[in-house]
Amino acid sequence: VLEPVKQVADAVIDTSELTVHDLRDRIRAMFAADDAEPTMQTTVLSFGYKHGLPLDADLVLDCRFLPNPHWVDELRPLTGLDDEVREHVLGQPAAREFLANIERLLVPLIPEYVSEGKAYLTIALGCTGGRHRSVVIAEEVARVLRRHGLPAGVLHRDVEK
């Protein structure tokens, strides 16, 4: 069926004996710029467990062990994007230790994903409603990754729910 396409192709790759990794490497060698470094888009996603797990998450970390700002009357209407909530969450020793452990996990792990050829990585952080704790921690995780030269975008799936 593809014989007419093959006749006009500049390159033909026989994939019969190639693994997906071999094929990826062959395509990169043929078409990537000589100085192109493999890249990966990293997204740090906050979410609320009560709204369901994000289906596209590669890594899921649970923030529900941290004290919940929802139970502090003046913080309840705010989100993790507000300074008062951020200070409340990060003021907990457990939050600082959690972030340090995440940094120790992710900084060496992400380059390994890149070397395996992963193009997208989604790190999901969840709390009960996705408005307070997970939002603060997601922002901080993205900051940590950027500080180590790893580009990271942030999405807050449930912050307005």
Side-chain angles (χ1 to χ4, degrees), residues 4-138:
V5 175
K6 183 178 177 184
Q7 296 302 318
V8 296
D10 292 330
V12 175
I13 302 172
D14 180 357
T15 60
S16 304
E17 303 292 323
L18 297 179
T19 67
V20 293
H21 303 289
D22 294 335
L23 178 59
R24 177 199 63 220
D25 293 342
R26 181 85 54 90
I27 291 171
R28 276 192 187 145
M30 291 174 72
F31 298 105
D34 290 336
D35 60 349
E37 283 291 316
T39 60
M40 179 178 69
Q41 175 61 46
T42 302
T43 301
V44 183
L45 172 73
S46 71
F47 73 96
Y49 279 94
K50 73 178 186 179
H51 304 294
L53 284 166
L55 299 178
D56 58 348
D58 298 295
L59 299 169
V60 178
L61 300 168
D62 190 343
C63 302
R64 291 176 293 182
F65 67 93
L66 296 169
N68 193 345
H70 176 81
W71 302 115
V72 178
D73 289 339
E74 60 270 13
L75 299 179
R76 183 174 299 140
L78 304 176
T79 75
L81 298 172
D82 292 302
D83 289 338
E84 299 90 339
V85 174
R86 182 179 181 281
E87 290 167 12
H88 178 81
V89 171
L90 296 179
Q92 308 297 321
R96 293 191 301 276
E97 184 177 349
F98 185 47
L99 284 166
N101 287 332
I102 291 171
E103 182 171 5
R104 282 192 289 277
L105 171 69
L106 293 179
V107 169
L109 187 64
I110 288 179
E112 296 301 322
Y113 279 118
V114 172
S115 71
E116 270 300 302
K118 191 156 178 58
Y120 302 96
L121 180 71
T122 300
I123 303 162
L125 295 129
C127 63
T128 305
R131 289 182 43 84
H132 298 108
R133 296 167 290 180
S134 63
V135 172
V136 171
I137 300 299

